[in-house]
Amino acid sequence: MAEFEKTRGPVGGVIADPVQLIVDKLRGYPHVTYELSDDGIYIHPPTPNGFPVWLVDDDPDWTVHAGDCGAHWHLQDAEEALELLVFCLSEDCRLKVEDSTFWRHFTLEARTSSGWVTEWQTAVFMIRLWKPKTVQIFDNKLISTEA
């Protein structure tokens, strides 16, 4: 994770082109696929049990999306957006999806020294009387946070 965070642009620590920075770093991960668009980058799940992450340039702001569940954050600072994107790709982040008869819960969790804590959560009301309760965990684990 630190290699993403240490890269800065030439003037005053400002990141010149966050999307190009991500592309440059992803070259070190040839198994990861991504798509570029006019306004950002979409990173496909890097593991079979992963979730997609993407960054959109909403000039002058940035939006980071995690998973296909509506999780997204609007940030004014490109550096903060990159840090969040790196977090979503790291082993310290996971997306938990809980299905039940009437609800589908999505929870983005962060690993702490005492376990997993909720960072973001939403739910969708869905009537599926035949659906048993299930819990699925999706994690990218692309970037190690070990020192």
Side-chain angles (χ1 to χ4, degrees):
M1 185 152 100
E3 71 181 79
F4 274 87
E5 294 175 13
K6 290 180 184 173
T7 306
R8 300 285 187 255
V11 180
V14 176
I15 298 171
D17 185 354
V19 173
Q20 187 58 51
L21 174 63
I22 295 165
V23 169
D24 292 344
K25 296 299 181 181
L26 287 176
R27 287 190 181 118
Y29 302 91
H31 67 285
V32 177
T33 59
Y34 58 89
E35 297 174 37
L36 293 172
S37 65
D38 291 340
D39 61 352
I41 184 168
Y42 179 94
I43 303 168
H44 292 273
T47 64
N49 200 43
F51 58 91
V53 178
W54 62 103
L55 176 69
V56 178
D57 181 354
D58 291 326
D59 192 19
D61 300 330
W62 296 88
T63 303
V64 177
H65 298 263
D68 293 324
C69 59
H72 67 284
W73 299 265
H74 298 283
L75 303 157
Q76 293 179 345
D77 184 68
E79 185 175 346
E80 288 180 49
L82 283 174
E83 288 175 9
L84 179 56
L85 183 131
V86 168
F87 167 71
C88 290
L89 293 173
S90 79
E91 63 189 7
D92 288 336
C93 178
R94 71 184 190 180
L95 180 63
K96 181 167 64 171
V97 179
E98 298 175 85
D99 280 315
S100 66
T101 304
F102 297 105
W103 292 97
R104 187 165 213 207
H105 291 267
F106 301 95
T107 307
L108 193 73
E109 298 180 322
R111 182 171 43 185
T112 66
S113 59
S114 59
W116 292 95
V117 297
T118 298
E119 288 290 320
W120 175 90
Q121 187 174 47
T122 192
V124 177
F125 181 71
M126 304 173 83
I127 298 177
R128 297 170 303 171
L129 299 175
W130 62 92
K131 181 77 174 168
K133 183 172 182 168
T134 60
V135 177
Q136 293 179 286
I137 302 291
F138 299 94
D139 48 23
N140 288 321
K141 295 183 180 179
L142 180 65
I143 300 168
S144 173
T145 53
E146 293 294 316

